[in-house]
Amino acid sequence: MPYTSPTFFGRLGVSLAAAAALLAGCGDSAKLKVVEGTGPSPQLPPPHKTLLPTVNIAPAKGWTEAQQPKPADGQRVQPFATGLDHPRWLLVLPNGDVLVAESNAPPRPERKGLRTWVMNKVMARAGAGVPSADRITLLRDADGDGVAEIRHAFADADDGLHSPFGMALVGDRLYVANTDAVVSFAYKPGQTQAEGRAQRVVELPAGPLNHHWTKNLIASPDGKKLYATVGSNSNVAEHGMAAEEGRAAIWEIDPAANTKRLYASGLRNPNGMAWVPASGALWTVVNERDEIGSDLVPDYMTSVRDGGFYGWPYSYYGKTVDARVKPPAPEKVAAAIAPDYALGAHTASLGLVYSDRNALGAGFQQGMFIGQHGSWNREPLSGYKVVFVPFKDGRPDGMPKDVLGGFLDAEERALGRPVGVAIDTRGALLVADDVGNAVWRVSAATPTAQAPR
């Protein structure tokens, strides 16, 4: 397909849908089921590179008042909060209050070309084209009925928020990962609004391109260190490795000294992080690369080694070389660590929380809950649900189980898209839905006993 300028479509009166179809026509369809690219030993077929990428994204529709996601058998779902503005990430505070980051990408410099034009339009159809609210909202369920009847704007751009995402509470400091820095606020139990502007802790790689803008945050179990995720600035370093300095990585931060060091690298776009008590290991979920077929590359979750290198951009799933990356780096490939557990190609697994104290009942007692935001580079679609991977002795033990689905309607329009996940103080699962503009609460249909928190 020859290059065609965006104005070409305007002169011909071609619709957005037709432009998207034109682009999608240059892609491919999956030969494997999602489950075949899932688990500790996923199938990795040969790459299938097309002239232009497969574009298949569910257009954003949103929920009607009568609709809601569909929970697994034995579970119930209810709206914890609605009417939010692109809720992305969640933090449950010790007193039961819930902080939700309402956020979207910061403004970026305009880039030209057919692919960029069509992709921007298609992403807008998916609900990702709105300005960032730059806000953290506090939700409180004071009467314990599973619905937050109290809502306060805890902090916003005037307080120093800039596309906020991850949050962590350590003692009397609330840390927030902006798109370009980790900042902190003083915090007292029960307060509903931040007092004073955010204090800068450390800078994070950002810049004008800032391709993967979401930066997540977790504290070490002893509270002495923070860990921040920083996604890559590209698919496979097509802008050069200089643009990837400090990216595709997890950083360890010393908040007392306002310093940071590289903890792990080669992780294309890490997002959710969780500690597994049985092993003491830090785990993360990672969005892998695109544009080499609907069956590649599986997103994954993995334990993270201090100093570990996980392959990006030179290889994937360990030592499988990506021939698109020039110049190659065989010494880097030789050092690449294979991830622990695949989550299916293009599922866009983002949210991650480990739980051995939830109240969802049998089958969901020990393991990882994962929010899968949903694919754009796969035919047919994948993700668009929340799954649970059981663990035993600190390791995955079995295939994923669906926890919350129904985010797509019969026409494959997105009623919602799950992102962050968290366990509330009563053991229920909270799910941030950035297309449905809601936070959903999943609990056992018949209440069960839970371990105290």
Side-chain angles (χ1 to χ4, degrees), residues 339-407:
D340 291 296
Y341 194 95
L343 294 167
H346 309 295
T347 54
S349 296
L350 299 176
L352 185 72
V353 64
Y354 182 82
S355 177
D356 57 4
R357 298 172 182 265
N358 71 73
L360 272 68
F364 298 102
Q365 282 304 292
Q366 187 176 101
M368 294 286 192
F369 291 95
I370 301 161
Q372 298 188 324
H373 199 228
S375 61
W376 69 266
N377 187 219
R378 186 177 190 272
E379 171 61 47
L381 298 169
S382 62
Y384 297 93
K385 60 184 177 179
V386 179
V387 300
F388 174 82
V389 177
F391 269 54
K392 182 179 180 180
D393 299 327
R395 304 288 303 173
D397 182 40
M399 296 301 284
K401 305 176 182 181
D402 289 356
V403 180
L404 194 63
F407 287 92

Side-chain angles (χ1 to χ4, degrees), residues 47-50 53 115 234-238 268 288-293 296-297 312-316 320-328 346 377:
H48 182 199
K49 190 175 186 304
T50 55
R115 176 186 291 182
S234 61
N235 184 30
V236 282
E238 58 268 23
R268 179 178 176 263
E288 252 292 356
R289 66 204 73 198
D290 300 309
E291 303 182 24
I292 49 176
L296 290 175
V297 173
W312 189 90
Y314 305 104
S315 63
Y316 55 86
T320 306
V321 173
D322 192 329
R324 295 174 295 175
V325 182
K326 305 295 182 184
H346 309 295
N377 187 219

Side-chain angles (χ1 to χ4, degrees), residues 3 12 71 203 238-239 253 279-280 285 355-356:
Y3 171 80
L12 292 184
E203 305 291 321
E238 58 268 23
H239 307 305
I253 298 164
S279 64
V285 284
S355 177
D356 57 4

